[in-house]
Every structure is written in structure tokens, then in C-alpha cells.
Amino acid sequence: AHAERRPPLGGELPSPINPPSGCRFRTRCPRAEDRCAQSEPKMQKVDLGHYVACHFPLEQTTTKVALQTARES
């Protein structure tokens, strides 16, 4: 199986010395909303051996599963 190719992320790289408030990746995330600037997301398990720190992990996982299912049909 070939590795999935994703387009490069745009936006500003977060500073490791002075990270942005809330989610440190919000400056590059196309799904970022106001709450991403207000609070840091907690690490959560979304699948076996797969953990994420995102306010929208289930939406992303659901989309990925739906795409995989559609490809297999």
C-alpha cells in the first residue's frame, strides 16, 4: 500500500520558545476556531495506539473512516 500523500500545511509555524495560546498548532490548522485559541486540547485516545490532542478528533476520524469505506466499496 502506498503512503497517503497530503498537501503541505500552510500557515505560520508555532514557536517552540513562545507557543501560541491554546492549541499550539492552530496557526496552521484549517479547522481552527476561537476555542482553539482559548484552551489547549487534552490528549485523547481515538483508536488502538492512536492518540490526539485536538478539539475535533472524532470529526477527523469519522471523515477518514468514511473515505476508507467509500474506497473499499
Side-chain angles (χ1 to χ4, degrees):
H2 295 308
E4 181 180 327
R5 294 207 177 233
R6 296 181 184 161
L9 290 175
E12 204 176 301
L13 287 172
S15 167
I17 296 170
N18 186 20
S21 63
C23 177
R24 53 188 77 218
F25 296 104
R26 68 181 171 79
T27 58
R28 303 189 77 188
C29 181
R31 296 176 182 250
E33 294 184 0
D34 289 341
R35 71 175 166 171
C36 301
Q38 303 302 319
S39 65
E40 185 174 349
K42 304 284 185 212
M43 185 68 69
Q44 323 176 40
K45 183 177 182 177
V46 294
D47 204 351
L48 184 62
H50 188 167
Y51 295 82
V52 296
C54 180
H55 291 297
F56 309 104
L58 297 178
E59 292 173 18
Q60 293 168 358
T61 302
T62 301
T63 301
K64 184 177 179 180
V65 169
L67 289 172
Q68 288 173 343
T69 302
R71 288 181 191 146
E72 292 172 0
S73 298

